[in-house]
C-alpha cells in the first residue's frame, strides 16, 4: 500500500494542469461557497469525509480504466474523436481525484489516503476480436457503470442541501454525463460493423450476461439498510437502499432500452445474467 | 400514476432513449435544495412509455427489477420550461428545457463515481 496524496508539483506542469482543468470545467465555481462544519454533527461530517476519501482513491484508480481503454480504442481502429474523448475522460478522473481531496480537506481531514497503486489490467477477453474487446469494455464502463453513477449523482443532488457539497457534486456530474453517454455514441458509430458481423453481436450478448451480473454485484448493495439521518441526507451521504433502487431503475429503465435501440440484445442478456 | 424519477429521466435522455431535444416538457423547477429531506415520492415502479422492447423487464423471480410497465411519456404538457439546477449542470445552461424532466425528489448515494473494471470473458 502507498500513501496517495493528490498534489501538484511546484513546476510549470502545475500551471499547465490548471489551464487544462480550467478549460474543461463545465460548472461555474463560486469560491465564496465554503463548508461550514458547525451546521452538522461532528460524527456525520467525519463519516462523509471518509466517503470522499474513498472516492478520491477510487477516482484515481478509475483513471486507469479509461487510459487503458484508450489504448484498446487505438487497437480497434476507432475514430479519432473517440480516442480523444476517451483520453479526456481518463483526465477527468484524475481531476476528480484532486476535487475529492479538496473535499476531504474542507471537511477537516488530511487530503490523503492509503491506496494500492498497482495497476489493474483492463479486461482482455481472450480470443475475441480487437473491435469486440473495445466494444465490451466501452459498454460496461460507460453505458453501464458510469450511467449508474450519473443517476446516483442526480438522485443525491435532488435531495442534498449543503451548498458546498452541492457545488462539488454538480462539478463532478457535469463530467460524468459525458462518461455515461460516451458508449451510446460509440455504439452508434459501430452499429454498421455489428450488423455486418452477426457473430460479434452474439459475442457481445454473451459478455453482457456476465457484465450485468457483475454490475449488480458491485452496484446494488444488499440489506439490511439503515435509513439515513437528516444530516446525512443534507450532506449527500451514502444511502445503500437507494443505491440499490437507482441501480435497478437505471439499468432496466435506461441502459437496457438504450442498448436495445442500437441493436444490442441487452434485454435478453439482462434476464440471462450470470456471474462467470 | 407515479411519475418517473428524475434520475431515470436524466439517464434515459443520456442513453438516447428519449433524446435530448424535441420533448420540451420542461424541467419543472424543484430538484434543488428546497427539496432536501422531502422524502421519496417515487419509491414504487415507474411508468415508462418508450422504454424499449415489448414485455420489457418482468425480471427473474426474487430480483428487484420487476415491474417497469411501459407507458407514459413523462411530464405533463403544461410543465414549465425550466431547467433545474441539476440538469443545467448536466446538459449545460444553454441546452434549453430538457426532456421529461419535471419536479421530483429522489435520493441516492454516490460512493463509487468512477467506472468499474469490467470482467474478462473469453471467446
Amino acid at each position: 500500500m502507498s500513501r496517495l496524496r493528490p498534489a501538484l508539483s511546484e513546476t510549470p506542469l502545475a500551471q499547465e494542469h490548471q489551464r487544462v482543468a480550467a478549460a474543461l470545467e463545465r460548472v461555474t465555481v463560486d469560491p465564496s461557497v465554503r463548508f461550514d462544519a458547525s451546521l452538522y454533527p461532528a460524527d456525520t461530517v467525519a463519516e462523509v469525509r471518509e466517503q470522499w476519501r474513498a472516492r478520491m482513491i477510487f477516482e484515481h484508480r478509475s483513471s486507469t480504466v479509461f487510459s487503458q481503454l484508450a489504448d484498446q480504442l487505438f487497437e480497434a481502429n476507432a475514430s479519432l474523436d473517440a480516442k480523444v474523448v476517451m483520453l479526456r475522460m481518463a483526465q477527468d478522473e484524475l481531476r476528480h481525484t484532486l476535487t475529492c481531496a479538496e473535499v476531504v480537506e474542507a471537511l477537516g481531514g488530511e487530503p490523503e489516503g492509503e491506496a494500492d497503486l498497482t495497476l489493474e489490467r483492463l479486461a482482455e477477453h481472450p480470443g475475441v476480436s480487437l473491435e469486440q474487446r473495445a466494444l465490451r469494455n466501452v459498454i460496461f464502463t460507460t453505458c453501464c457503470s458510469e450511467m449508474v453513477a450519473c443517476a446516483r449523482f442526480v438522485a443525491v443532488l435532488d435531495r442534498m442541501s449543503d451548498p458546498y457539497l452541492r457545488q462539488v457534486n454538480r462539478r463532478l456530474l457535469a463530467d460524468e454525463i459525458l462518461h455515461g453517454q460516451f458508449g451510446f455514441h460509440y455504439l452508434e458509430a459501430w452499429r454498421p460493423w455489428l450488423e455486418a458481423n452477426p457473430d460479434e453481436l452474439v459475442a457481445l450478448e454473451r459478455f453482457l450476461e456476465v457484465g450485468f451480473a457483475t454490475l449488480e454485484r458491485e452496484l446494488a448493495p444488499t440489506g439490511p439498510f439503515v435509513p439515513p439521518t437528516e444530516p446525512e441526507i443534507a450532506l449527500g451521504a451514502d444511502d445503500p437502499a437507494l443505491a440499490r433502487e437507482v441501480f435497478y431503475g437505471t439499468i432496466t429503465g435506461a441502459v437496457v432500452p438504450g442498448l436495445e435501440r442500437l441493436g444490442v440484445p441487452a434485454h435478453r442478456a439482462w434476464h440471462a445474467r450470470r456471474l462467470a | 400514476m407515479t411519475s418517473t424519477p428524475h434520475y431515470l429521466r436524466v439517464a434515459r435522455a443520456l442513453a438516447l432513449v428519449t433524446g435530448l431535444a424535441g420533448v420540451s416538457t420542461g424541467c419543472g423547477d424543484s430538484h434543488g435544495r428546497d427539496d432536501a429531506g422531502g422524502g421519496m415520492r417515487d419509491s414504487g415502479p415507474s411508468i415508462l412509455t418508450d422504454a424499449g422492447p415489448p414485455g420489457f423487464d418482468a425480471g427473474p423471480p426474487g430480483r428487484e427489477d420487476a415491474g417497469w410497465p411501459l407507458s407514459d411519456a413523462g411530464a405533463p404538457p403544461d410543465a414549465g420550461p425550466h431547467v433545474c439546477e441539476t440538469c443545467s449542470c448536466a446538459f449545460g445552461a444553454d441546452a434549453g428545457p430538457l426532456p421529461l424532466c419535471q419536479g421530483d425528489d429522489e435520493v441516492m448515494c454516490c460512493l463509487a463515481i468512477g467506472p468499474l473494471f469490467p470482467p474478462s470473458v473469453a471467446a
Side-chain angles (χ1 to χ4, degrees), chain A residues 59-117:
Chain A
E59 290 282 64
H60 186 260
R61 187 165 170 271
S62 292
S63 179
T64 67
V65 173
F66 286 148
S67 62
Q68 292 182 80
L69 190 43
D71 292 342
Q72 294 187 353
L73 296 190
F74 276 82
E75 293 191 311
N77 200 18
S79 62
L80 188 73
D81 55 346
K83 288 177 276 200
V84 167
V85 175
M86 183 59 69
L87 287 167
R88 179 242 154 109
M89 296 194 316
Q91 202 172 71
D92 288 342
E93 302 294 347
L94 279 179
R95 291 192 297 110
H96 295 177
T97 305
L98 193 56
T99 303
C100 293
E102 289 166 0
V103 175
V104 172
E105 195 162 26
L107 270 57
E110 281 295 312
E112 59 185 20
E114 290 292 322
D116 181 359
L117 300 182

Short mmCIF file of all heavy atoms in Angstrom, two decimals, chain A residues 59-117:
data_model
loop_
_atom_site.label_atom_id
_atom_site.label_comp_id
_atom_site.label_asym_id
_atom_site.label_seq_id
_atom_site.Cartn_x
_atom_site.Cartn_y
_atom_site.Cartn_z
N GLU A 59 -11.40 7.25 -7.62
CA GLU A 59 -11.28 8.04 -8.85
C GLU A 59 -9.88 7.93 -9.45
O GLU A 59 -9.72 7.84 -10.67
CB GLU A 59 -11.58 9.52 -8.56
CG GLU A 59 -13.03 9.81 -8.24
CD GLU A 59 -13.91 9.83 -9.48
OE1 GLU A 59 -14.04 8.78 -10.12
OE2 GLU A 59 -14.48 10.88 -9.79
N HIS A 60 -8.90 7.94 -8.58
CA HIS A 60 -7.52 7.83 -9.05
C HIS A 60 -7.33 6.51 -9.81
O HIS A 60 -6.74 6.46 -10.89
CB HIS A 60 -6.58 7.91 -7.84
CG HIS A 60 -5.14 7.95 -8.20
ND1 HIS A 60 -4.33 6.83 -8.12
CD2 HIS A 60 -4.35 8.96 -8.64
CE1 HIS A 60 -3.11 7.16 -8.50
NE2 HIS A 60 -3.08 8.44 -8.82
N ARG A 61 -7.88 5.48 -9.24
CA ARG A 61 -7.76 4.16 -9.85
C ARG A 61 -8.59 4.08 -11.14
O ARG A 61 -8.19 3.47 -12.13
CB ARG A 61 -8.25 3.13 -8.84
CG ARG A 61 -8.06 1.69 -9.21
CD ARG A 61 -8.25 0.83 -7.96
NE ARG A 61 -8.31 -0.58 -8.28
CZ ARG A 61 -9.45 -1.21 -8.57
NH1 ARG A 61 -10.58 -0.55 -8.58
NH2 ARG A 61 -9.44 -2.49 -8.87
N SER A 62 -9.73 4.75 -11.12
CA SER A 62 -10.62 4.70 -12.29
C SER A 62 -10.00 5.34 -13.51
O SER A 62 -10.35 4.99 -14.65
CB SER A 62 -11.93 5.44 -11.97
OG SER A 62 -12.67 4.77 -11.01
N SER A 63 -9.12 6.28 -13.29
CA SER A 63 -8.48 6.93 -14.43
C SER A 63 -7.80 5.90 -15.32
O SER A 63 -7.78 6.04 -16.55
CB SER A 63 -7.47 7.97 -13.93
OG SER A 63 -6.85 8.59 -15.03
N THR A 64 -7.25 4.87 -14.71
CA THR A 64 -6.52 3.88 -15.50
C THR A 64 -7.47 2.98 -16.30
O THR A 64 -7.04 2.32 -17.25
CB THR A 64 -5.62 3.00 -14.61
OG1 THR A 64 -6.43 2.18 -13.76
CG2 THR A 64 -4.70 3.85 -13.75
N VAL A 65 -8.74 2.93 -15.91
CA VAL A 65 -9.71 2.21 -16.74
C VAL A 65 -9.79 2.89 -18.10
O VAL A 65 -9.66 2.26 -19.15
CB VAL A 65 -11.10 2.18 -16.06
CG1 VAL A 65 -12.13 1.59 -17.01
CG2 VAL A 65 -11.07 1.40 -14.76
N PHE A 66 -9.97 4.19 -18.06
CA PHE A 66 -10.14 4.91 -19.32
C PHE A 66 -8.82 5.05 -20.08
O PHE A 66 -8.82 5.04 -21.31
CB PHE A 66 -10.77 6.28 -19.06
CG PHE A 66 -12.24 6.22 -18.71
CD1 PHE A 66 -12.80 7.15 -17.85
CD2 PHE A 66 -13.06 5.26 -19.25
CE1 PHE A 66 -14.15 7.11 -17.54
CE2 PHE A 66 -14.42 5.20 -18.95
CZ PHE A 66 -14.96 6.14 -18.09
N SER A 67 -7.73 5.22 -19.37
CA SER A 67 -6.46 5.35 -20.10
C SER A 67 -6.11 4.04 -20.81
O SER A 67 -5.62 4.04 -21.94
CB SER A 67 -5.34 5.80 -19.16
OG SER A 67 -5.10 4.84 -18.15
N GLN A 68 -6.39 2.92 -20.17
CA GLN A 68 -6.15 1.63 -20.83
C GLN A 68 -7.15 1.38 -21.95
O GLN A 68 -6.84 0.79 -22.98
CB GLN A 68 -6.22 0.49 -19.82
CG GLN A 68 -5.07 0.51 -18.79
CD GLN A 68 -5.18 -0.68 -17.84
OE1 GLN A 68 -4.80 -1.80 -18.18
NE2 GLN A 68 -5.70 -0.44 -16.65
N LEU A 69 -8.37 1.85 -21.72
CA LEU A 69 -9.38 1.68 -22.76
C LEU A 69 -9.03 2.51 -23.99
O LEU A 69 -9.32 2.12 -25.12
CB LEU A 69 -10.76 2.08 -22.19
CG LEU A 69 -12.00 1.77 -23.02
CD1 LEU A 69 -11.97 0.38 -23.65
CD2 LEU A 69 -13.25 1.93 -22.16
N ALA A 70 -8.38 3.64 -23.76
CA ALA A 70 -7.92 4.44 -24.91
C ALA A 70 -6.96 3.61 -25.76
O ALA A 70 -7.03 3.63 -27.00
CB ALA A 70 -7.25 5.72 -24.42
N ASP A 71 -6.07 2.88 -25.13
CA ASP A 71 -5.16 2.00 -25.88
C ASP A 71 -5.95 0.99 -26.72
O ASP A 71 -5.62 0.71 -27.87
CB ASP A 71 -4.24 1.24 -24.92
CG ASP A 71 -3.25 2.16 -24.23
OD1 ASP A 71 -3.04 3.29 -24.72
OD2 ASP A 71 -2.68 1.75 -23.20
N GLN A 72 -7.01 0.45 -26.11
CA GLN A 72 -7.80 -0.54 -26.83
C GLN A 72 -8.55 0.09 -28.00
O GLN A 72 -8.79 -0.57 -29.02
CB GLN A 72 -8.76 -1.25 -25.87
CG GLN A 72 -8.03 -2.09 -24.82
CD GLN A 72 -8.97 -2.93 -23.97
OE1 GLN A 72 -10.18 -2.82 -24.06
NE2 GLN A 72 -8.39 -3.78 -23.13
N LEU A 73 -8.91 1.36 -27.85
CA LEU A 73 -9.55 2.04 -28.98
C LEU A 73 -8.58 2.22 -30.13
O LEU A 73 -8.95 2.13 -31.31
CB LEU A 73 -10.12 3.39 -28.55
CG LEU A 73 -11.25 3.39 -27.52
CD1 LEU A 73 -11.85 4.79 -27.39
CD2 LEU A 73 -12.35 2.41 -27.89
N PHE A 74 -7.31 2.47 -29.79
CA PHE A 74 -6.29 2.54 -30.84
C PHE A 74 -6.23 1.23 -31.60
O PHE A 74 -6.23 1.19 -32.83
CB PHE A 74 -4.92 2.84 -30.23
CG PHE A 74 -4.66 4.31 -29.99
CD1 PHE A 74 -5.14 4.94 -28.85
CD2 PHE A 74 -3.93 5.06 -30.89
CE1 PHE A 74 -4.91 6.29 -28.62
CE2 PHE A 74 -3.69 6.41 -30.69
CZ PHE A 74 -4.17 7.02 -29.54
N GLU A 75 -6.19 0.14 -30.85
CA GLU A 75 -6.04 -1.18 -31.49
C GLU A 75 -7.29 -1.59 -32.25
O GLU A 75 -7.23 -2.42 -33.16
CB GLU A 75 -5.65 -2.22 -30.44
CG GLU A 75 -4.26 -1.97 -29.89
CD GLU A 75 -3.75 -3.12 -29.04
OE1 GLU A 75 -4.49 -3.60 -28.15
OE2 GLU A 75 -2.61 -3.54 -29.28
N ALA A 76 -8.43 -1.02 -31.85
CA ALA A 76 -9.67 -1.34 -32.56
C ALA A 76 -9.87 -0.43 -33.77
O ALA A 76 -10.88 -0.54 -34.47
CB ALA A 76 -10.86 -1.21 -31.62
N ASN A 77 -8.93 0.47 -33.98
CA ASN A 77 -9.04 1.43 -35.09
C ASN A 77 -10.30 2.28 -34.97
O ASN A 77 -11.02 2.51 -35.93
CB ASN A 77 -9.01 0.71 -36.44
CG ASN A 77 -8.64 1.65 -37.57
OD1 ASN A 77 -8.08 2.73 -37.34
ND2 ASN A 77 -8.96 1.27 -38.80
N ALA A 78 -10.54 2.73 -33.75
CA ALA A 78 -11.70 3.60 -33.51
C ALA A 78 -11.43 4.98 -34.11
O ALA A 78 -10.30 5.33 -34.46
CB ALA A 78 -11.95 3.72 -32.00
N SER A 79 -12.48 5.76 -34.19
CA SER A 79 -12.34 7.09 -34.78
C SER A 79 -11.47 7.99 -33.89
O SER A 79 -11.34 7.75 -32.68
CB SER A 79 -13.71 7.74 -34.96
OG SER A 79 -14.33 7.90 -33.69
N LEU A 80 -10.93 9.00 -34.48
CA LEU A 80 -10.03 9.89 -33.74
C LEU A 80 -10.77 10.57 -32.58
O LEU A 80 -10.23 10.71 -31.48
CB LEU A 80 -9.44 10.94 -34.69
CG LEU A 80 -8.36 11.80 -34.06
CD1 LEU A 80 -7.08 11.01 -33.88
CD2 LEU A 80 -8.09 13.04 -34.91
N ASP A 81 -11.99 11.01 -32.85
CA ASP A 81 -12.72 11.70 -31.78
C ASP A 81 -12.96 10.78 -30.59
O ASP A 81 -12.90 11.20 -29.44
CB ASP A 81 -14.03 12.30 -32.32
CG ASP A 81 -14.91 11.28 -33.01
OD1 ASP A 81 -14.43 10.18 -33.31
OD2 ASP A 81 -16.09 11.59 -33.27
N ALA A 82 -13.25 9.51 -30.86
CA ALA A 82 -13.47 8.57 -29.76
C ALA A 82 -12.22 8.46 -28.90
O ALA A 82 -12.29 8.42 -27.65
CB ALA A 82 -13.86 7.20 -30.31
N LYS A 83 -11.06 8.43 -29.54
CA LYS A 83 -9.81 8.31 -28.77
C LYS A 83 -9.55 9.59 -27.98
O LYS A 83 -9.14 9.54 -26.80
CB LYS A 83 -8.64 8.01 -29.74
CG LYS A 83 -8.71 6.58 -30.27
CD LYS A 83 -7.61 6.28 -31.26
CE LYS A 83 -7.97 6.72 -32.65
NZ LYS A 83 -7.19 6.06 -33.72
N VAL A 84 -9.79 10.72 -28.59
CA VAL A 84 -9.58 12.00 -27.89
C VAL A 84 -10.49 12.09 -26.66
O VAL A 84 -10.05 12.44 -25.56
CB VAL A 84 -9.84 13.20 -28.84
CG1 VAL A 84 -9.94 14.50 -28.05
CG2 VAL A 84 -8.74 13.30 -29.88
N VAL A 85 -11.75 11.75 -26.86
CA VAL A 85 -12.70 11.88 -25.74
C VAL A 85 -12.37 10.86 -24.65
O VAL A 85 -12.49 11.16 -23.45
CB VAL A 85 -14.15 11.73 -26.24
CG1 VAL A 85 -15.13 11.74 -25.07
CG2 VAL A 85 -14.50 12.86 -27.21
N MET A 86 -11.96 9.67 -25.05
CA MET A 86 -11.61 8.67 -24.03
C MET A 86 -10.43 9.16 -23.18
O MET A 86 -10.42 9.01 -21.95
CB MET A 86 -11.27 7.34 -24.71
CG MET A 86 -10.96 6.21 -23.75
SD MET A 86 -12.31 5.83 -22.60
CE MET A 86 -13.54 5.12 -23.69
N LEU A 87 -9.45 9.75 -23.84
CA LEU A 87 -8.31 10.28 -23.08
C LEU A 87 -8.73 11.44 -22.19
O LEU A 87 -8.24 11.61 -21.08
CB LEU A 87 -7.20 10.73 -24.05
CG LEU A 87 -6.44 9.57 -24.71
CD1 LEU A 87 -5.59 10.07 -25.88
CD2 LEU A 87 -5.56 8.85 -23.69
N ARG A 88 -9.67 12.23 -22.67
CA ARG A 88 -10.20 13.31 -21.83
C ARG A 88 -10.88 12.73 -20.59
O ARG A 88 -10.76 13.26 -19.47
CB ARG A 88 -11.21 14.15 -22.65
CG ARG A 88 -11.82 15.29 -21.84
CD ARG A 88 -13.34 15.12 -21.72
NE ARG A 88 -13.86 15.78 -20.53
CZ ARG A 88 -14.59 16.88 -20.54
NH1 ARG A 88 -14.87 17.46 -21.65
NH2 ARG A 88 -15.03 17.36 -19.40
N MET A 89 -11.61 11.63 -20.79
CA MET A 89 -12.33 11.04 -19.65
C MET A 89 -11.34 10.49 -18.61
O MET A 89 -11.59 10.57 -17.41
CB MET A 89 -13.30 9.97 -20.14
CG MET A 89 -14.37 10.56 -21.03
SD MET A 89 -15.82 9.54 -21.39
CE MET A 89 -15.20 7.96 -21.74
N ALA A 90 -10.23 9.95 -19.10
CA ALA A 90 -9.19 9.50 -18.16
C ALA A 90 -8.67 10.69 -17.35
O ALA A 90 -8.44 10.60 -16.14
CB ALA A 90 -8.06 8.82 -18.92
N GLN A 91 -8.52 11.79 -18.05
CA GLN A 91 -8.05 13.01 -17.39
C GLN A 91 -9.09 13.53 -16.39
O GLN A 91 -8.73 14.01 -15.30
CB GLN A 91 -7.79 14.05 -18.48
CG GLN A 91 -6.86 15.14 -18.10
CD GLN A 91 -6.57 15.98 -19.33
OE1 GLN A 91 -7.42 16.72 -19.80
NE2 GLN A 91 -5.37 15.88 -19.85
N ASP A 92 -10.36 13.42 -16.77
CA ASP A 92 -11.42 13.84 -15.85
C ASP A 92 -11.29 13.12 -14.51
O ASP A 92 -11.45 13.72 -13.44
CB ASP A 92 -12.80 13.53 -16.43
CG ASP A 92 -13.18 14.43 -17.60
OD1 ASP A 92 -12.56 15.50 -17.75
OD2 ASP A 92 -14.09 14.04 -18.35
N GLU A 93 -11.04 11.82 -14.58
CA GLU A 93 -10.98 11.05 -13.33
C GLU A 93 -9.82 11.52 -12.46
O GLU A 93 -9.92 11.53 -11.22
CB GLU A 93 -10.84 9.55 -13.63
CG GLU A 93 -11.96 8.95 -14.48
CD GLU A 93 -13.32 8.94 -13.80
OE1 GLU A 93 -13.37 9.19 -12.58
OE2 GLU A 93 -14.33 8.72 -14.48
N LEU A 94 -8.75 11.94 -13.10
CA LEU A 94 -7.63 12.48 -12.31
C LEU A 94 -7.99 13.83 -11.70
O LEU A 94 -7.65 14.12 -10.55
CB LEU A 94 -6.39 12.62 -13.19
CG LEU A 94 -5.58 11.35 -13.42
CD1 LEU A 94 -4.39 11.65 -14.33
CD2 LEU A 94 -5.09 10.77 -12.10
N ARG A 95 -8.68 14.65 -12.48
CA ARG A 95 -9.12 15.93 -11.92
C ARG A 95 -10.08 15.70 -10.76
O ARG A 95 -10.05 16.40 -9.75
CB ARG A 95 -9.79 16.79 -13.00
CG ARG A 95 -8.84 17.30 -14.07
CD ARG A 95 -9.49 18.37 -14.94
NE ARG A 95 -10.63 17.88 -15.70
CZ ARG A 95 -11.91 18.21 -15.48
NH1 ARG A 95 -12.20 19.05 -14.51
NH2 ARG A 95 -12.87 17.71 -16.21
N HIS A 96 -10.92 14.69 -10.90
CA HIS A 96 -11.86 14.38 -9.82
C HIS A 96 -11.12 13.93 -8.56
O HIS A 96 -11.58 14.15 -7.44
CB HIS A 96 -12.84 13.30 -10.26
CG HIS A 96 -13.74 13.72 -11.38
ND1 HIS A 96 -14.65 12.87 -11.96
CD2 HIS A 96 -13.88 14.92 -12.02
CE1 HIS A 96 -15.30 13.51 -12.93
NE2 HIS A 96 -14.84 14.75 -12.98
N THR A 97 -10.00 13.24 -8.77
CA THR A 97 -9.20 12.82 -7.62
C THR A 97 -8.81 14.04 -6.79
O THR A 97 -8.92 14.04 -5.56
CB THR A 97 -7.93 12.10 -8.11
OG1 THR A 97 -8.30 11.01 -8.96
CG2 THR A 97 -7.12 11.56 -6.94
N LEU A 98 -8.38 15.07 -7.50
CA LEU A 98 -7.99 16.30 -6.81
C LEU A 98 -9.20 16.97 -6.16
O LEU A 98 -9.12 17.47 -5.02
CB LEU A 98 -7.32 17.25 -7.81
CG LEU A 98 -6.57 18.44 -7.23
CD1 LEU A 98 -5.51 18.01 -6.24
CD2 LEU A 98 -5.93 19.26 -8.36
N THR A 99 -10.31 16.97 -6.86
CA THR A 99 -11.54 17.56 -6.30
C THR A 99 -11.94 16.84 -5.01
O THR A 99 -12.29 17.48 -4.01
CB THR A 99 -12.69 17.46 -7.32
OG1 THR A 99 -12.28 18.11 -8.52
CG2 THR A 99 -13.95 18.11 -6.79
N CYS A 100 -11.89 15.52 -5.05
CA CYS A 100 -12.25 14.75 -3.85
C CYS A 100 -11.29 15.07 -2.71
O CYS A 100 -11.70 15.18 -1.55
CB CYS A 100 -12.22 13.25 -4.16
SG CYS A 100 -13.49 12.71 -5.31
N ALA A 101 -10.02 15.21 -3.03
CA ALA A 101 -9.04 15.55 -1.99
C ALA A 101 -9.35 16.91 -1.38
O ALA A 101 -9.23 17.10 -0.16
CB ALA A 101 -7.63 15.55 -2.59
N GLU A 102 -9.79 17.84 -2.21
CA GLU A 102 -10.16 19.17 -1.69
C GLU A 102 -11.35 19.06 -0.74
O GLU A 102 -11.42 19.79 0.25
CB GLU A 102 -10.49 20.10 -2.86
CG GLU A 102 -9.27 20.50 -3.68
CD GLU A 102 -9.62 21.15 -5.03
OE1 GLU A 102 -10.82 21.29 -5.33
OE2 GLU A 102 -8.67 21.48 -5.76
N VAL A 103 -12.26 18.17 -1.06
CA VAL A 103 -13.42 18.00 -0.17
C VAL A 103 -12.98 17.41 1.17
O VAL A 103 -13.42 17.86 2.23
CB VAL A 103 -14.49 17.10 -0.84
CG1 VAL A 103 -15.62 16.81 0.14
CG2 VAL A 103 -15.03 17.76 -2.10
N VAL A 104 -12.12 16.41 1.10
CA VAL A 104 -11.62 15.82 2.35
C VAL A 104 -11.02 16.91 3.24
O VAL A 104 -11.28 16.97 4.45
CB VAL A 104 -10.57 14.72 2.05
CG1 VAL A 104 -9.90 14.25 3.34
CG2 VAL A 104 -11.22 13.54 1.33
N GLU A 105 -10.26 17.77 2.61
CA GLU A 105 -9.61 18.85 3.37
C GLU A 105 -10.65 19.84 3.90
O GLU A 105 -10.58 20.27 5.06
CB GLU A 105 -8.60 19.57 2.47
CG GLU A 105 -7.64 20.45 3.24
CD GLU A 105 -6.41 20.79 2.40
OE1 GLU A 105 -6.51 20.80 1.16
OE2 GLU A 105 -5.36 21.05 3.01
N ALA A 106 -11.62 20.17 3.07
CA ALA A 106 -12.66 21.12 3.50
C ALA A 106 -13.46 20.57 4.68
O ALA A 106 -13.95 21.32 5.52
CB ALA A 106 -13.60 21.42 2.34
N LEU A 107 -13.57 19.24 4.71
CA LEU A 107 -14.32 18.61 5.79
C LEU A 107 -13.43 18.28 6.99
O LEU A 107 -13.82 17.52 7.88
CB LEU A 107 -15.03 17.35 5.29
CG LEU A 107 -16.45 17.56 4.73
CD1 LEU A 107 -16.48 18.56 3.59
CD2 LEU A 107 -17.07 16.23 4.29
N GLY A 108 -12.25 18.84 6.99
CA GLY A 108 -11.40 18.75 8.17
C GLY A 108 -10.38 17.64 8.19
O GLY A 108 -9.77 17.37 9.22
N GLY A 109 -10.17 16.98 7.06
CA GLY A 109 -9.22 15.87 7.04
C GLY A 109 -7.96 16.19 6.26
O GLY A 109 -7.87 17.22 5.58
N GLU A 110 -6.99 15.30 6.37
CA GLU A 110 -5.79 15.40 5.55
C GLU A 110 -6.13 14.83 4.18
O GLU A 110 -6.69 13.73 4.09
CB GLU A 110 -4.64 14.59 6.17
CG GLU A 110 -3.95 15.29 7.31
CD GLU A 110 -3.21 16.55 6.84
OE1 GLU A 110 -2.48 16.49 5.83
OE2 GLU A 110 -3.41 17.60 7.48
N PRO A 111 -5.82 15.53 3.12
CA PRO A 111 -6.20 15.06 1.78
C PRO A 111 -5.29 13.94 1.28
O PRO A 111 -4.57 14.09 0.30
CB PRO A 111 -6.06 16.32 0.93
CG PRO A 111 -5.00 17.11 1.62
CD PRO A 111 -5.13 16.82 3.09
N GLU A 112 -5.33 12.84 1.92
CA GLU A 112 -4.51 11.70 1.54
C GLU A 112 -5.16 10.41 2.04
O GLU A 112 -6.09 10.44 2.86
CB GLU A 112 -3.11 11.83 2.15
CG GLU A 112 -3.11 11.91 3.66
CD GLU A 112 -1.72 12.17 4.22
OE1 GLU A 112 -0.86 12.65 3.46
OE2 GLU A 112 -1.51 11.87 5.40
N GLY A 113 -4.69 9.29 1.52
CA GLY A 113 -5.26 8.02 1.93
C GLY A 113 -4.37 6.87 1.50
O GLY A 113 -3.52 7.02 0.62
N GLU A 114 -4.59 5.72 2.12
CA GLU A 114 -3.84 4.51 1.78
C GLU A 114 -4.42 3.92 0.51
O GLU A 114 -5.63 3.72 0.41
CB GLU A 114 -3.95 3.49 2.91
CG GLU A 114 -3.18 3.88 4.17
CD GLU A 114 -1.67 3.86 3.97
OE1 GLU A 114 -1.19 2.96 3.25
OE2 GLU A 114 -1.00 4.76 4.49
N ALA A 115 -3.58 3.65 -0.45
CA ALA A 115 -4.08 3.12 -1.72
C ALA A 115 -3.10 2.12 -2.31
O ALA A 115 -1.88 2.26 -2.17
CB ALA A 115 -4.28 4.26 -2.72
N ASP A 116 -3.64 1.10 -2.94
CA ASP A 116 -2.84 0.16 -3.69
C ASP A 116 -2.66 0.74 -5.09
O ASP A 116 -3.62 0.86 -5.84
CB ASP A 116 -3.56 -1.19 -3.75
CG ASP A 116 -2.75 -2.24 -4.51
OD1 ASP A 116 -1.64 -1.90 -5.00
OD2 ASP A 116 -3.23 -3.38 -4.61
N LEU A 117 -1.46 1.11 -5.42
CA LEU A 117 -1.21 1.77 -6.70
C LEU A 117 -0.83 0.79 -7.81
O LEU A 117 -0.50 1.20 -8.92
CB LEU A 117 -0.11 2.83 -6.54
CG LEU A 117 -0.44 3.94 -5.52
CD1 LEU A 117 0.68 4.97 -5.48
CD2 LEU A 117 -1.76 4.62 -5.84
#
